[in-house]
Amino acid sequence: GAGVSQSPSNKVTEKGKDVELRCDPISGHTALYWYRQSLGQGLEFLIYFQGNSAPDKSGLPSDRFSAERTGGSVSTLTIQRTQQEDSAVYLCASSSSRDRRLNSPLHFGNGTRLTVT
Amino acid sequence: DAKTTQPPSMDCAEGRAANLPCNHSTISGNEYVYWYRQIHSQGPQYIIHGLKNNETNEMASLIITEDRKSSTLILPHATLRDTAVYYCIVRASNTGTASKLTFGTGTRLQVTL
């Protein structure tokens, strides 16, 4: 079945340019997460969307980073005025929270590798 | 979410059982133990999770101690394709909203011939 899809798989951009990264979650999943992973590092939480609730933006590293989720499905992560330290793999995940016990696992995409030159 | 402690690396011979330990001594009553793994150049893959009881699925078994302060992920017959970084995570299950996962540095499992 279809998993979490991210595009593009690779993105090279010049310092100072804006980039948009896209995530298509698993159909029906109400929760959507963005993480990033720098080379050789662990996963760093960025932002989390749950249904119609206000998103948890506590992990966004600066105001150059923003994300939106339109229609409760597709999400776009935008990085403005990119810097070299933004180079990383940006991972999206989704989960179903229909289970009241709310212990549904996250399903990850394979990420977008962003390189800022 | 409670912090977890894992060894940074482990080796296992192909065909043998891989036993990956995790300490979560500050886990609270409503926190589940999750295991994920990340194979090079891929996103993390869910393996298994549990609360109190031992769990088994087609990928692995999860053994949680009675006091819930530690757990062990068991891959019964490791293969070369099981070489990956394995993450042990505890995650609260609160009514109303799901919560994010907080990843540590994990255990790098190397399966060898």
Side-chain angles (χ1 to χ4, degrees):
Chain A
V4 175
S5 177
Q6 294 187 245
S7 60
S9 55
N10 283 284
K11 176 72 176 177
V12 180
T13 190
E14 292 180 353
K15 178 182 173 181
K17 301 279 189 182
D18 298 351
V19 295
E20 286 189 351
L21 312 180
R22 178 186 168 104
C23 173
D24 284 87
I26 293 173
S27 177
H29 279 191
T30 55
L32 187 146
Y33 308 74
W34 283 97
Y35 286 80
R36 75 175 175 181
Q37 188 171 31
S38 300
L39 185 62
Q41 303 296 313
L43 277 77
E44 175 189 4
F45 167 77
L46 297 177
I47 189 169
Y48 154 62
F49 296 90
Q50 171 56 51
N52 295 321
S53 302
D56 176 355
K57 303 179 182 181
S58 59
L60 294 179
S62 77
D63 58 8
R64 296 186 296 105
F65 288 73
S66 63
E68 62 178 22
R69 189 179 185 192
T70 54
S73 181
V74 173
S75 177
T76 302
L77 177 69
T78 301
I79 309 173
Q80 295 178 309
R81 306 180 302 281
T82 52
Q83 304 293 315
Q84 287 185 330
E85 60 263 28
D86 299 335
S87 295
V89 176
Y90 288 81
L91 291 155
C92 176
S94 69
S95 71
S96 170
S97 58
R98 296 188 190 282
D99 186 338
R100 284 291 294 172
R101 292 171 297 167
L102 298 168
N103 58 1
S104 301
L106 273 64
H107 299 269
F108 284 83
N110 283 328
T112 293
R113 182 176 298 277
L114 175 66
T115 303
V116 182
T117 62
Chain B
D1 291 341
K3 182 178 178 180
T4 62
T5 304
Q6 299 177 252
S9 63
M10 292 183 65
D11 292 332
C12 179
E14 189 175 34
R16 304 297 293 269
N19 297 283
L20 292 92
C22 180
N23 286 322
H24 32 79
S25 58
T26 58
I27 193 170
S28 59
N30 68 341
E31 289 181 315
Y32 284 75
V33 180
Y34 284 78
W35 283 84
Y36 284 75
R37 72 180 182 183
Q38 189 172 25
I39 296 169
H40 183 62
S41 298
Q42 297 182 19
Q45 176 191 22
Y46 166 76
I47 302 173
I48 198 167
H49 73 281
L51 182 63
K52 296 180 182 178
N53 301 320
N54 298 337
E55 301 287 343
T56 296
N57 63 20
E58 66 278 5
M59 291 182 68
S61 295
L62 174 60
I63 308 298
I64 303 174
T65 58
E66 191 170 343
D67 63 7
R68 302 210 322 122
K69 293 183 184 299
S70 65
S71 61
T72 301
L73 178 74
I74 301 173
L75 307 178
H77 306 287
T79 71
L80 296 177
R81 288 184 293 181
D82 292 322
T83 292
V85 178
Y86 286 77
Y87 295 98
C88 168
I89 303 158
V90 292
R91 178 194 188 198
S93 175
N94 300 316
T95 57
T97 57
S99 65
K100 62 183 183 284
L101 295 176
T102 300
F103 285 78
T105 53
T107 295
R108 183 172 299 277
L109 175 68
Q110 180 68 54
V111 180
T112 57
L113 290 172

